[in-house]
PDB file of all heavy atoms in Angstrom:
ATOM      1  N   TYR A   1     -60.215 238.973 -14.964  1.00 95.00           N
ATOM      2  CA  TYR A   1     -58.952 239.718 -14.999  1.00 95.00           C
ATOM      3  C   TYR A   1     -58.376 239.841 -16.414  1.00 95.00           C
ATOM      4  O   TYR A   1     -57.249 240.307 -16.591  1.00 95.00           O
ATOM      5  CB  TYR A   1     -57.930 239.074 -14.075  1.00 95.00           C
ATOM      6  CG  TYR A   1     -58.264 239.236 -12.604  1.00 95.00           C
ATOM      7  CD1 TYR A   1     -58.718 238.145 -11.855  1.00 95.00           C
ATOM      8  CD2 TYR A   1     -58.142 240.469 -11.977  1.00 95.00           C
ATOM      9  CE1 TYR A   1     -59.035 238.295 -10.510  1.00 95.00           C
ATOM     10  CE2 TYR A   1     -58.457 240.621 -10.626  1.00 95.00           C
ATOM     11  CZ  TYR A   1     -58.917 239.527  -9.903  1.00 95.00           C
ATOM     12  OH  TYR A   1     -59.238 239.671  -8.566  1.00 95.00           O
ATOM     13  N   GLY A   2     -59.133 239.401 -17.403  1.00 91.00           N
ATOM     14  CA  GLY A   2     -58.711 239.592 -18.782  1.00 91.00           C
ATOM     15  C   GLY A   2     -57.595 238.681 -19.231  1.00 91.00           C
ATOM     16  O   GLY A   2     -56.844 239.016 -20.148  1.00 91.00           O
ATOM     17  N   VAL A   3     -57.474 237.506 -18.598  1.00 86.00           N
ATOM     18  CA  VAL A   3     -56.433 236.552 -18.995  1.00 86.00           C
ATOM     19  C   VAL A   3     -57.081 235.214 -19.322  1.00 86.00           C
ATOM     20  O   VAL A   3     -56.520 234.151 -19.063  1.00 86.00           O
ATOM     21  CB  VAL A   3     -55.366 236.396 -17.885  1.00 86.00           C
ATOM     22  CG1 VAL A   3     -54.489 237.621 -17.815  1.00 86.00           C
ATOM     23  CG2 VAL A   3     -56.013 236.110 -16.528  1.00 86.00           C
ATOM     24  N   ALA A   4     -58.281 235.266 -19.901  1.00 71.00           N
ATOM     25  CA  ALA A   4     -59.066 234.060 -20.130  1.00 71.00           C
ATOM     26  C   ALA A   4     -58.390 233.076 -21.057  1.00 71.00           C
ATOM     27  O   ALA A   4     -58.616 231.874 -20.972  1.00 71.00           O
ATOM     28  CB  ALA A   4     -60.439 234.426 -20.685  1.00 71.00           C
ATOM     29  N   GLY A   5     -57.550 233.567 -21.970  1.00 71.00           N
ATOM     30  CA  GLY A   5     -56.902 232.660 -22.907  1.00 71.00           C
ATOM     31  C   GLY A   5     -55.755 231.894 -22.320  1.00 71.00           C
ATOM     32  O   GLY A   5     -55.283 230.917 -22.900  1.00 71.00           O
ATOM     33  N   ALA A   6     -55.290 232.323 -21.139  1.00 70.00           N
ATOM     34  CA  ALA A   6     -54.147 231.666 -20.511  1.00 70.00           C
ATOM     35  C   ALA A   6     -54.564 230.351 -19.875  1.00 70.00           C
ATOM     36  O   ALA A   6     -55.726 230.143 -19.525  1.00 70.00           O
ATOM     37  CB  ALA A   6     -53.538 232.584 -19.458  1.00 70.00           C
ATOM     38  N   GLU A   7     -53.596 229.464 -19.751  1.00 71.00           N
ATOM     39  CA  GLU A   7     -53.865 228.177 -19.118  1.00 71.00           C
ATOM     40  C   GLU A   7     -54.330 228.391 -17.692  1.00 71.00           C
ATOM     41  O   GLU A   7     -53.798 229.222 -16.954  1.00 71.00           O
ATOM     42  CB  GLU A   7     -52.603 227.309 -19.134  1.00 71.00           C
ATOM     43  CG  GLU A   7     -52.824 225.904 -18.579  1.00 71.00           C
ATOM     44  CD  GLU A   7     -51.552 225.065 -18.639  1.00 71.00           C
ATOM     45  OE1 GLU A   7     -50.544 225.569 -19.168  1.00 71.00           O
ATOM     46  OE2 GLU A   7     -51.583 223.936 -18.162  1.00 71.00           O
ATOM     47  N   ASP A   8     -55.359 227.645 -17.276  1.00 76.00           N
ATOM     48  CA  ASP A   8     -55.927 227.754 -15.932  1.00 76.00           C
ATOM     49  C   ASP A   8     -56.372 229.175 -15.611  1.00 76.00           C
ATOM     50  O   ASP A   8     -56.283 229.636 -14.479  1.00 76.00           O
ATOM     51  CB  ASP A   8     -54.924 227.286 -14.867  1.00 76.00           C
ATOM     52  CG  ASP A   8     -55.296 225.914 -14.320  1.00 76.00           C
ATOM     53  OD1 ASP A   8     -56.391 225.424 -14.640  1.00 76.00           O
ATOM     54  OD2 ASP A   8     -54.493 225.338 -13.584  1.00 76.00           O
ATOM     55  N   GLY A   9     -56.859 229.898 -16.612  1.00 75.00           N
ATOM     56  CA  GLY A   9     -57.380 231.228 -16.373  1.00 75.00           C
ATOM     57  C   GLY A   9     -56.338 232.240 -15.941  1.00 75.00           C
ATOM     58  O   GLY A   9     -56.665 233.219 -15.268  1.00 75.00           O
ATOM     59  N   GLY A  10     -55.086 232.028 -16.314  1.00 87.00           N
ATOM     60  CA  GLY A  10     -54.034 232.963 -15.917  1.00 87.00           C
ATOM     61  C   GLY A  10     -53.611 232.819 -14.478  1.00 87.00           C
ATOM     62  O   GLY A  10     -52.848 233.644 -13.967  1.00 87.00           O
ATOM     63  N   ILE A  11     -54.103 231.780 -13.822  1.00 95.00           N
ATOM     64  CA  ILE A  11     -53.753 231.541 -12.421  1.00 95.00           C
ATOM     65  C   ILE A  11     -52.401 230.838 -12.360  1.00 95.00           C
ATOM     66  O   ILE A  11     -52.214 229.777 -12.955  1.00 95.00           O
ATOM     67  CB  ILE A  11     -54.830 230.671 -11.742  1.00 95.00           C
ATOM     68  CG1 ILE A  11     -56.175 231.413 -11.741  1.00 95.00           C
ATOM     69  CG2 ILE A  11     -54.424 230.301 -10.316  1.00 95.00           C
ATOM     70  CD1 ILE A  11     -57.356 230.540 -11.396  1.00 95.00           C
ATOM     71  N   LYS A  12     -51.463 231.419 -11.626  1.00 95.00           N
ATOM     72  CA  LYS A  12     -50.129 230.831 -11.551  1.00 95.00           C
ATOM     73  C   LYS A  12     -50.098 229.595 -10.656  1.00 95.00           C
ATOM     74  O   LYS A  12     -49.431 228.606 -10.965  1.00 95.00           O
ATOM     75  CB  LYS A  12     -49.133 231.873 -11.041  1.00 95.00           C
ATOM     76  CG  LYS A  12     -48.864 232.994 -12.040  1.00 95.00           C
ATOM     77  CD  LYS A  12     -47.811 233.965 -11.516  1.00 95.00           C
ATOM     78  CE  LYS A  12     -47.486 235.016 -12.562  1.00 95.00           C
ATOM     79  NZ  LYS A  12     -46.483 235.994 -12.065  1.00 95.00           N
ATOM     80  N   PHE A  13     -50.804 229.667  -9.518  1.00 97.00           N
ATOM     81  CA  PHE A  13     -50.845 228.534  -8.593  1.00 97.00           C
ATOM     82  C   PHE A  13     -52.218 228.474  -7.949  1.00 97.00           C
ATOM     83  O   PHE A  13     -52.844 229.510  -7.680  1.00 97.00           O
ATOM     84  CB  PHE A  13     -49.776 228.673  -7.501  1.00 97.00           C
ATOM     85  CG  PHE A  13     -48.363 228.651  -8.017  1.00 97.00           C
ATOM     86  CD1 PHE A  13     -47.689 229.837  -8.260  1.00 97.00           C
ATOM     87  CD2 PHE A  13     -47.723 227.444  -8.274  1.00 97.00           C
ATOM     88  CE1 PHE A  13     -46.390 229.833  -8.749  1.00 97.00           C
ATOM     89  CE2 PHE A  13     -46.429 227.425  -8.763  1.00 97.00           C
ATOM     90  CZ  PHE A  13     -45.758 228.620  -8.997  1.00 97.00           C
ATOM     91  N   SER A  14     -52.671 227.250  -7.677  1.00 98.00           N
ATOM     92  CA  SER A  14     -53.964 227.032  -7.032  1.00 98.00           C
ATOM     93  C   SER A  14     -53.764 226.287  -5.715  1.00 98.00           C
ATOM     94  O   SER A  14     -53.019 225.297  -5.659  1.00 98.00           O
ATOM     95  CB  SER A  14     -54.901 226.225  -7.948  1.00 98.00           C
ATOM     96  OG  SER A  14     -55.213 226.959  -9.119  1.00 98.00           O
ATOM     97  N   TYR A  15     -54.458 226.754  -4.675  1.00 98.00           N
ATOM     98  CA  TYR A  15     -54.276 226.206  -3.333  1.00 98.00           C
ATOM     99  C   TYR A  15     -55.614 225.892  -2.676  1.00 98.00           C
ATOM    100  O   TYR A  15     -56.673 226.312  -3.143  1.00 98.00           O
ATOM    101  CB  TYR A  15     -53.506 227.208  -2.466  1.00 98.00           C
ATOM    102  CG  TYR A  15     -52.104 227.486  -2.946  1.00 98.00           C
ATOM    103  CD1 TYR A  15     -51.785 228.697  -3.579  1.00 98.00           C
ATOM    104  CD2 TYR A  15     -51.091 226.553  -2.780  1.00 98.00           C
ATOM    105  CE1 TYR A  15     -50.502 228.960  -4.025  1.00 98.00           C
ATOM    106  CE2 TYR A  15     -49.800 226.800  -3.217  1.00 98.00           C
ATOM    107  CZ  TYR A  15     -49.512 228.000  -3.847  1.00 98.00           C
ATOM    108  OH  TYR A  15     -48.238 228.253  -4.274  1.00 98.00           O
ATOM    109  N   TYR A  16     -55.506 225.178  -1.565  1.00 98.00           N
ATOM    110  CA  TYR A  16     -56.690 224.818  -0.785  1.00 98.00           C
ATOM    111  C   TYR A  16     -56.322 224.857   0.690  1.00 98.00           C
ATOM    112  O   TYR A  16     -55.231 224.406   1.070  1.00 98.00           O
ATOM    113  CB  TYR A  16     -57.172 223.409  -1.159  1.00 98.00           C
ATOM    114  CG  TYR A  16     -58.447 222.993  -0.458  1.00 98.00           C
ATOM    115  CD1 TYR A  16     -59.688 223.242  -1.033  1.00 98.00           C
ATOM    116  CD2 TYR A  16     -58.413 222.379   0.793  1.00 98.00           C
ATOM    117  CE1 TYR A  16     -60.862 222.875  -0.393  1.00 98.00           C
ATOM    118  CE2 TYR A  16     -59.583 222.017   1.442  1.00 98.00           C
ATOM    119  CZ  TYR A  16     -60.806 222.271   0.844  1.00 98.00           C
ATOM    120  OH  TYR A  16     -61.969 221.924   1.488  1.00 98.00           O
ATOM    121  N   ALA A  17     -57.218 225.391   1.524  1.00 98.00           N
ATOM    122  CA  ALA A  17     -56.976 225.407   2.971  1.00 98.00           C
ATOM    123  C   ALA A  17     -58.302 225.312   3.697  1.00 98.00           C
ATOM    124  O   ALA A  17     -59.191 226.147   3.504  1.00 98.00           O
ATOM    125  CB  ALA A  17     -56.245 226.687   3.385  1.00 98.00           C
ATOM    126  N   SER A  18     -58.441 224.264   4.522  1.00 98.00           N
ATOM    127  CA  SER A  18     -59.668 224.107   5.296  1.00 98.00           C
ATOM    128  C   SER A  18     -59.467 223.015   6.339  1.00 98.00           C
ATOM    129  O   SER A  18     -58.406 222.389   6.404  1.00 98.00           O
ATOM    130  CB  SER A  18     -60.858 223.772   4.386  1.00 98.00           C
ATOM    131  OG  SER A  18     -62.081 223.960   5.070  1.00 98.00           O
ATOM    132  N   CYS A  19     -60.515 222.786   7.135  1.00 98.00           N
ATOM    133  CA  CYS A  19     -60.405 221.847   8.251  1.00 98.00           C
ATOM    134  C   CYS A  19     -61.666 220.992   8.345  1.00 98.00           C
ATOM    135  O   CYS A  19     -62.719 221.356   7.825  1.00 98.00           O
ATOM    136  CB  CYS A  19     -60.194 222.631   9.561  1.00 98.00           C
ATOM    137  SG  CYS A  19     -59.720 221.602  10.980  1.00 98.00           S
ATOM    138  N   SER A  20     -61.549 219.831   8.982  1.00 98.00           N
ATOM    139  CA  SER A  20     -62.660 218.925   9.273  1.00 98.00           C
ATOM    140  C   SER A  20     -63.235 218.357   7.974  1.00 98.00           C
ATOM    141  O   SER A  20     -62.496 217.814   7.145  1.00 98.00           O
ATOM    142  CB  SER A  20     -63.726 219.644  10.103  1.00 98.00           C
ATOM    143  OG  SER A  20     -64.619 218.735  10.692  1.00 98.00           O
ATOM    144  N   THR A  21     -64.547 218.511   7.729  1.00 98.00           N
ATOM    145  CA  THR A  21     -65.083 218.090   6.434  1.00 98.00           C
ATOM    146  C   THR A  21     -64.379 218.845   5.313  1.00 98.00           C
ATOM    147  O   THR A  21     -64.147 218.300   4.225  1.00 98.00           O
ATOM    148  CB  THR A  21     -66.598 218.332   6.372  1.00 98.00           C
ATOM    149  OG1 THR A  21     -67.249 217.336   7.166  1.00 98.00           O
ATOM    150  CG2 THR A  21     -67.127 218.234   4.950  1.00 98.00           C
ATOM    151  N   GLY A  22     -63.998 220.085   5.587  1.00 98.00           N
ATOM    152  CA  GLY A  22     -63.221 220.834   4.609  1.00 98.00           C
ATOM    153  C   GLY A  22     -61.905 220.150   4.290  1.00 98.00           C
ATOM    154  O   GLY A  22     -61.434 220.190   3.151  1.00 98.00           O
ATOM    155  N   GLY A  23     -61.292 219.514   5.286  1.00 98.00           N
ATOM    156  CA  GLY A  23     -60.081 218.749   5.038  1.00 98.00           C
ATOM    157  C   GLY A  23     -60.343 217.563   4.129  1.00 98.00           C
ATOM    158  O   GLY A  23     -59.572 217.261   3.215  1.00 98.00           O
ATOM    159  N   ARG A  24     -61.457 216.874   4.383  1.00 98.00           N
ATOM    160  CA  ARG A  24     -61.839 215.751   3.507  1.00 98.00           C
ATOM    161  C   ARG A  24     -62.058 216.217   2.082  1.00 98.00           C
ATOM    162  O   ARG A  24     -61.616 215.574   1.117  1.00 98.00           O
ATOM    163  CB  ARG A  24     -63.120 215.083   4.032  1.00 98.00           C
ATOM    164  CG  ARG A  24     -63.624 213.978   3.093  1.00 98.00           C
ATOM    165  CD  ARG A  24     -65.032 213.542   3.398  1.00 98.00           C
ATOM    166  NE  ARG A  24     -66.026 214.563   3.174  1.00 98.00           N
ATOM    167  CZ  ARG A  24     -66.494 214.942   1.986  1.00 98.00           C
ATOM    168  NH1 ARG A  24     -66.013 214.390   0.878  1.00 98.00           N
ATOM    169  NH2 ARG A  24     -67.406 215.878   1.889  1.00 98.00           N
ATOM    170  N   GLN A  25     -62.741 217.346   1.933  1.00 98.00           N
ATOM    171  CA  GLN A  25     -63.033 217.847   0.587  1.00 98.00           C
ATOM    172  C   GLN A  25     -61.755 218.107  -0.208  1.00 98.00           C
ATOM    173  O   GLN A  25     -61.670 217.776  -1.393  1.00 98.00           O
ATOM    174  CB  GLN A  25     -63.849 219.135   0.688  1.00 98.00           C
ATOM    175  CG  GLN A  25     -65.271 218.936   1.186  1.00 98.00           C
ATOM    176  CD  GLN A  25     -65.934 220.272   1.481  1.00 98.00           C
ATOM    177  OE1 GLN A  25     -65.443 221.070   2.282  1.00 98.00           O
ATOM    178  NE2 GLN A  25     -67.054 220.530   0.839  1.00 98.00           N
ATOM    179  N   GLY A  26     -60.767 218.710   0.444  1.00 98.00           N
ATOM    180  CA  GLY A  26     -59.516 218.993  -0.251  1.00 98.00           C
ATOM    181  C   GLY A  26     -58.784 217.734  -0.649  1.00 98.00           C
ATOM    182  O   GLY A  26     -58.273 217.616  -1.775  1.00 98.00           O
ATOM    183  N   LEU A  27     -58.732 216.763   0.264  1.00 98.00           N
ATOM    184  CA  LEU A  27     -58.060 215.503  -0.043  1.00 98.00           C
ATOM    185  C   LEU A  27     -58.778 214.748  -1.153  1.00 98.00           C
ATOM    186  O   LEU A  27     -58.141 214.181  -2.052  1.00 98.00           O
ATOM    187  CB  LEU A  27     -57.985 214.639   1.217  1.00 98.00           C
ATOM    188  CG  LEU A  27     -57.021 215.111   2.304  1.00 98.00           C
ATOM    189  CD1 LEU A  27     -57.260 214.324   3.595  1.00 98.00           C
ATOM    190  CD2 LEU A  27     -55.576 214.966   1.859  1.00 98.00           C
ATOM    191  N   ARG A  28     -60.102 214.735  -1.093  1.00 98.00           N
ATOM    192  CA  ARG A  28     -60.854 213.996  -2.117  1.00 98.00           C
ATOM    193  C   ARG A  28     -60.681 214.645  -3.490  1.00 98.00           C
ATOM    194  O   ARG A  28     -60.577 213.947  -4.513  1.00 98.00           O
ATOM    195  CB  ARG A  28     -62.338 213.946  -1.749  1.00 98.00           C
ATOM    196  CG  ARG A  28     -63.141 212.959  -2.624  1.00 98.00           C
ATOM    197  CD  ARG A  28     -62.662 211.560  -2.414  1.00 98.00           C
ATOM    198  NE  ARG A  28     -63.367 210.582  -3.239  1.00 98.00           N
ATOM    199  CZ  ARG A  28     -62.766 209.634  -3.925  1.00 98.00           C
ATOM    200  NH1 ARG A  28     -61.433 209.531  -3.917  1.00 98.00           N
ATOM    201  NH2 ARG A  28     -63.463 208.754  -4.629  1.00 98.00           N
ATOM    202  N   GLU A  29     -60.638 215.967  -3.524  1.00 98.00           N
ATOM    203  CA  GLU A  29     -60.488 216.660  -4.803  1.00 98.00           C
ATOM    204  C   GLU A  29     -59.169 216.307  -5.477  1.00 98.00           C
ATOM    205  O   GLU A  29     -59.133 216.033  -6.678  1.00 98.00           O
ATOM    206  CB  GLU A  29     -60.597 218.176  -4.604  1.00 98.00           C
ATOM    207  CG  GLU A  29     -60.447 218.992  -5.875  1.00 98.00           C
ATOM    208  CD  GLU A  29     -61.573 218.811  -6.884  1.00 98.00           C
ATOM    209  OE1 GLU A  29     -62.625 218.219  -6.531  1.00 98.00           O
ATOM    210  OE2 GLU A  29     -61.410 219.253  -8.039  1.00 98.00           O
ATOM    211  N   ILE A  30     -58.071 216.281  -4.727  1.00 98.00           N
ATOM    212  CA  ILE A  30     -56.785 215.996  -5.374  1.00 98.00           C
ATOM    213  C   ILE A  30     -56.626 214.509  -5.678  1.00 98.00           C
ATOM    214  O   ILE A  30     -55.820 214.136  -6.532  1.00 98.00           O
ATOM    215  CB  ILE A  30     -55.585 216.501  -4.540  1.00 98.00           C
ATOM    216  CG1 ILE A  30     -55.547 215.842  -3.162  1.00 98.00           C
ATOM    217  CG2 ILE A  30     -55.613 218.017  -4.459  1.00 98.00           C
ATOM    218  CD1 ILE A  30     -54.309 216.200  -2.353  1.00 98.00           C
ATOM    219  N   GLN A  31     -57.404 213.649  -4.998  1.00 98.00           N
ATOM    220  CA  GLN A  31     -57.390 212.237  -5.355  1.00 98.00           C
ATOM    221  C   GLN A  31     -58.109 212.004  -6.675  1.00 98.00           C
ATOM    222  O   GLN A  31     -57.655 211.223  -7.514  1.00 98.00           O
ATOM    223  CB  GLN A  31     -58.045 211.408  -4.235  1.00 98.00           C
ATOM    224  CG  GLN A  31     -57.213 211.341  -2.964  1.00 98.00           C
ATOM    225  CD  GLN A  31     -57.960 210.709  -1.808  1.00 98.00           C
ATOM    226  OE1 GLN A  31     -59.119 210.300  -1.935  1.00 98.00           O
ATOM    227  NE2 GLN A  31     -57.306 210.616  -0.652  1.00 98.00           N
ATOM    228  N   LEU A  32     -59.226 212.694  -6.869  1.00 98.00           N
ATOM    229  CA  LEU A  32     -60.008 212.535  -8.100  1.00 98.00           C
ATOM    230  C   LEU A  32     -59.475 213.392  -9.242  1.00 98.00           C
ATOM    231  O   LEU A  32     -59.545 212.995 -10.406  1.00 98.00           O
ATOM    232  CB  LEU A  32     -61.467 212.895  -7.829  1.00 98.00           C
ATOM    233  CG  LEU A  32     -62.251 211.962  -6.899  1.00 98.00           C
ATOM    234  CD1 LEU A  32     -63.595 212.572  -6.541  1.00 98.00           C
ATOM    235  CD2 LEU A  32     -62.449 210.594  -7.543  1.00 98.00           C
ATOM    236  N   HIS A  33     -58.932 214.565  -8.897  1.00 98.00           N
ATOM    237  CA  HIS A  33     -58.496 215.530  -9.912  1.00 98.00           C
ATOM    238  C   HIS A  33     -57.171 216.138  -9.456  1.00 98.00           C
ATOM    239  O   HIS A  33     -57.144 217.240  -8.878  1.00 98.00           O
ATOM    240  CB  HIS A  33     -59.554 216.616 -10.100  1.00 98.00           C
ATOM    241  CG  HIS A  33     -60.933 216.069 -10.336  1.00 98.00           C
ATOM    242  ND1 HIS A  33     -61.332 215.558 -11.554  1.00 98.00           N
ATOM    243  CD2 HIS A  33     -61.992 215.930  -9.490  1.00 98.00           C
ATOM    244  CE1 HIS A  33     -62.590 215.137 -11.466  1.00 98.00           C
ATOM    245  NE2 HIS A  33     -63.014 215.354 -10.232  1.00 98.00           N
ATOM    246  N   PRO A  34     -56.071 215.459  -9.674  1.00 98.00           N
ATOM    247  CA  PRO A  34     -54.788 215.907  -9.125  1.00 98.00           C
ATOM    248  C   PRO A  34     -54.295 217.250  -9.648  1.00 98.00           C
ATOM    249  O   PRO A  34     -53.388 217.837  -9.061  1.00 98.00           O
ATOM    250  CB  PRO A  34     -53.826 214.775  -9.532  1.00 98.00           C
ATOM    251  CG  PRO A  34     -54.494 214.054 -10.648  1.00 98.00           C
ATOM    252  CD  PRO A  34     -55.955 214.166 -10.389  1.00 98.00           C
ATOM    253  N   ASP A  35     -54.896 217.746 -10.734  1.00 97.00           N
ATOM    254  CA  ASP A  35     -54.456 219.035 -11.269  1.00 97.00           C
ATOM    255  C   ASP A  35     -55.243 220.210 -10.702  1.00 97.00           C
ATOM    256  O   ASP A  35     -54.994 221.362 -11.083  1.00 97.00           O
ATOM    257  CB  ASP A  35     -54.553 219.043 -12.793  1.00 97.00           C
ATOM    258  CG  ASP A  35     -55.965 218.760 -13.292  1.00 97.00           C
ATOM    259  OD1 ASP A  35     -56.800 218.259 -12.498  1.00 97.00           O
ATOM    260  OD2 ASP A  35     -56.239 219.033 -14.476  1.00 97.00           O
ATOM    261  N   SER A  36     -56.178 219.952  -9.776  1.00 98.00           N
ATOM    262  CA  SER A  36     -56.989 221.057  -9.246  1.00 98.00           C
ATOM    263  C   SER A  36     -56.180 222.009  -8.378  1.00 98.00           C
ATOM    264  O   SER A  36     -56.340 223.227  -8.458  1.00 98.00           O
ATOM    265  CB  SER A  36     -58.176 220.510  -8.436  1.00 98.00           C
ATOM    266  OG  SER A  36     -59.162 219.972  -9.283  1.00 98.00           O
TER     267      SER A  36
END
């Protein structure tokens, strides 16, 4: 999108939505990398 120089690729907010093992993946990611 041509905003490569911006922090986090110009992304204003990052989210996650899933269920089951997908739920585990989201929880584990924010435990290991809280800024994801």
